[in-house]
Amino acid sequence: MKRKSIISGFSKLSREEKVAALTDSADKIKAKLDSFRLQNKEQQDLLDEISENTLSNFYLPFGVAPNFLINKSLYHIPMVIEESSVIAAASRSAKFWSNHGGFHARVISVVKSGQVHFLWKGEKVRLLDLLPELKYELYRTTKELTRNMRQRGGGIQNIRLVDLSHEMENYYQLHVDFDTVDSMGANFINSCLEQMAQTMKKFFKYYQGLKDIERECEIIMSILSNYTPDCLVESWVECDIEELDNIEPGMSGREFAEKFSKASKIAEVDVFRAATHNKGIFNGIDAVALATGNDFRAIEANGHVWAAKSGKYKSLTHASVSNNRFKYKLTIPLSLGTVGGLTSLHPLAKFGLELLGKPSAKELMMITATAGLANNFGALRSLVTTGIQYGHMKMHLSNLLNALKADYEEKRQALEYFAHKTVSYSEVESFIKSIRTKLR
Ligand code: MEV
């Protein structure tokens, strides 16, 4: 199947030629790849052009976690995820909190940043002297690029010089803050930064007479930062302790709240637990990001740096029990868009946003953070009560049955048999084997 030699000019080959170059059984593989392509040529062409060297489509389930009450508004949240229990967990939390005051959320700030990284070999004081004039030029020469964004209420918010020469010889940055309104803004930010790098070079060369510009001011690179600590949102739930009575049969609200808080605290003090705890938050966040055409890698990178901002990687949530109130809060930087990029290109991302009532980026920040909190609350709720495998493996049962190629009747019997039992692969396998032997 796998050919070992280098394939040159791969991207220029037709789809058929690409498949032939990759495999000895091209006809069989191509038929399989074709079976996952869309009948609608226009939509397939669109998907093909989103990325490079596209052979087929890779499907993931597009689902909905309904009934999220957030700041008194009701949302049915679209989620794209392969893990079978995530939507179930989000929905269960949404249902629970809709009877206890709903979720509360607020956007704290919306600043995104980027940097021009450069080496300055001259005196620092000279750079500082030139800064006001340079800034003027930076704003002037990006005016065209920022015009639309300014019309929408955004644009460049601030430019500052950062001296990092104590970390790396001669290293400085122009650190630029942006408001990109409803777009994630990556292309806008990168275009502005690249223009700024050009402007800097020209400024020092022509206006300030630096002869050997490459030597005196070496621009290394210009790029947005995926860390946006000032594009911050929080989502929380709170209720009287008694409202948690019998959240699991026989458990008092206080018992639950205290055990839950301890579990949450463990993720603040232990890095191994923190990683898993935060992974559970991103189960929800990434699923909404995918369903709305947002960049989940950027979102994850952002959240993990924020989680480590104290120098130690910690949980993104915090629980408290005081004055008879239980409160559980997630605070996270989320750089999202609801216009531009994939949000308006991908037909299902468009639908995902429609389902949410075409939210602004700020509204989507609150919805997405809430989905993260809901998934995490659901995970902790299970962990401190029934254990995770009970619910998780129940949801996973159909995957196991499909892997064992169970037919309709075998599935029916298995669902009935495991309705009140803990599911494991070996248990399911022996159950299916046993009914198959009986039938023989
Ligand atoms: C599984 O995808 C996520 C959990 O492990 C999260 C957690 O442990 O908090 C259940």
Side-chain angles (χ1 to χ4, degrees):
M1 166 78 178
K2 202 165 154 215
R3 299 220 176 141
K4 293 273 161 59
S5 53
I6 296 277
I7 310 167
S8 45
F10 188 76
S11 67
K12 295 191 182 67
L13 301 179
S14 69
R15 205 167 60 83
E16 288 69 19
E17 289 166 337
K18 285 186 179 98
V19 179
L22 290 170
T23 167
D24 292 328
S25 21
D27 287 347
K28 224 167 92 193
I29 299 293
K30 186 170 170 300
K32 178 159 240 156
L33 292 169
D34 282 351
S35 71
F36 285 95
R37 287 175 68 79
L38 303 178
Q39 299 290 323
N40 181 322
K41 187 176 172 332
E42 201 185 323
Q43 292 205 336
Q44 186 56 59
D45 286 350
L46 192 133
L47 288 179
D48 282 348
E49 283 164 23
I50 284 176
S51 182
E52 176 91 346
N53 295 339
T54 311
L55 300 180
S56 186
N57 305 310
F58 187 103
Y59 291 100
L60 284 175
F62 179 105
V64 174
N67 305 323
F68 270 82
L69 198 61
I70 308 174
N71 295 341
K72 299 197 165 74
S73 296
L74 189 65
Y75 297 93
H76 307 304
I77 304 185
M79 295 177 113
V80 170
I81 184 92
E82 90 297 349
E83 193 175 323
S84 32
S85 56
V86 169
I87 294 186
S91 310
R92 189 173 181 229
S93 294
K95 188 170 176 200
F96 178 81
W97 285 107
S98 66
N99 294 320
H100 298 279
F103 293 86
H104 312 269
R106 82 182 172 108
V107 170
I108 298 168
S109 48
V110 289
V111 179
K112 294 163 188 173
S113 311
Q115 298 151 320
V116 179
H117 303 266
F118 66 100
L119 303 186
W120 175 260
K121 311 252 168 82
E123 292 289 312
K124 179 177 174 185
V125 47
R126 174 122 194 257
L127 194 52
L128 289 174
D129 282 351
L130 295 173
L131 197 60
E133 217 177 321
L134 172 63
K135 272 194 192 176
Y136 175 83
E137 281 302 300
L138 294 172
Y139 278 110
R140 189 184 66 78
T141 54
T142 48
K143 247 193 170 130
E144 264 310 293
L145 282 173
T146 59
R147 185 149 44 99
N148 283 344
M149 198 59 91
R150 281 185 285 115
Q151 274 164 7
R152 287 193 269 141
I156 299 169
Q157 294 201 319
N158 190 31
I159 305 176
R160 66 192 155 91
L161 179 74
V162 180
D163 177 359
L164 284 171
S165 57
H166 55 285
E167 298 278 3
M168 177 174 156
E169 202 180 0
N170 302 324
Y171 172 36
Y172 291 82
Q173 300 171 348
L174 276 184
H175 187 103
V176 188
D177 291 334
F178 298 87
D179 178 350
T180 61
V181 197
D182 283 326
S183 64
M184 195 265 187
N187 285 330
F188 167 72
I189 293 176
N190 287 335
S191 300
C192 288
L193 293 170
E194 288 189 1
Q195 175 57 55
M196 286 182 180
Q198 293 300 325
T199 302
M200 263 178 91
K201 270 196 203 169
K202 263 197 197 148
F203 176 81
F204 289 126
K205 188 167 179 177
Y206 298 116
Y207 298 98
Q208 300 303 322
L210 288 190
K211 297 229 162 37
D212 194 353
I213 181 69
E214 292 301 340
R215 214 191 65 76
E216 299 208 40
C217 176
E218 184 186 354
I219 310 273
I220 306 292
M221 60 188 164
S222 314
I223 185 77
L224 93 170
S225 171
N226 284 125
Y227 182 41
T228 62
D230 291 317
C231 188
L232 207 58
V233 58
E234 58 185 22
S235 171
W236 71 96
V237 285
E238 58 179 306
C239 68
D240 287 342
I241 304 279
E242 290 74 40
E243 291 184 56
L244 299 167
D245 278 347
N246 282 319
I247 186 164
E248 289 301 325
M251 198 173 199
S252 78
R254 180 154 302 275
E255 234 180 309
F256 174 79
E258 282 173 359
K259 196 166 179 198
F260 187 100
S261 302
K262 283 176 199 151
S264 163
K265 178 79 184 166
I266 288 171
E268 286 180 42
V269 301
D270 175 58
V271 71
F272 283 87
R273 176 56 203 151
T276 320
H277 179 99
N278 289 345
K279 188 273 181 185
I281 295 171
F282 283 108
N283 274 345
I285 290 184
D286 288 4
V288 182
L290 272 166
T292 56
N294 276 280
D295 180 344
F296 64 94
R297 286 89 57 215
I299 291 168
E300 289 247 2
N302 202 356
H304 293 304
V305 178
W306 171 258
K309 66 182 184 309
S310 66
K312 175 175 171 176
Y313 186 88
K314 291 182 177 181
S315 64
L316 293 159
T317 52
H318 183 73
S320 66
V321 182
S322 78
N323 297 330
N324 206 42
R325 294 284 287 172
F326 168 77
K327 187 167 177 182
Y328 193 49
K329 183 160 85 171
L330 166 70
T331 310
I332 189 168
L334 278 180
S335 172
L336 301 176
T338 55
V339 298
L342 212 60
T343 62
S344 32
L345 259 186
H346 196 293
L348 281 181
K350 251 197 251 178
F351 171 68
L353 288 165
E354 274 162 23
L355 196 63
L356 291 171
K358 299 194 179 166
S360 65
K362 281 186 184 168
E363 200 179 350
L364 187 62
M365 284 167 78
M366 295 192 276
I367 295 166
T368 309
T370 299
L373 180 71
N375 268 104
N376 171 257
F377 176 83
L380 250 60
R381 173 182 176 174
S382 298
L383 286 169
V384 300
T385 55
T386 56
I388 205 72
Q389 286 306 80
Y390 181 74
H392 183 78
M393 292 306 283
K394 279 247 135 50
M395 296 308 301
H396 196 48
L397 179 59
S398 53
N399 288 345
L400 298 182
L401 291 168
N402 283 334
L404 292 163
K405 300 209 174 344
D407 63 20
Y408 178 79
E409 180 52 23
E410 289 169 343
K411 281 182 185 169
R412 196 195 59 73
Q413 288 190 37
L415 290 175
E416 197 178 296
Y417 179 79
F418 285 102
H420 302 291
K421 291 193 175 57
T422 299
V423 175
S424 73
Y425 182 82
S426 55
E427 292 284 335
V428 177
E429 190 181 33
S430 48
F431 177 79
I432 294 292
K433 265 188 194 154
S434 76
I435 47 178
R436 282 177 186 166
T437 2
K438 264 189 232 153
L439 284 177
R440 247 191 251 138

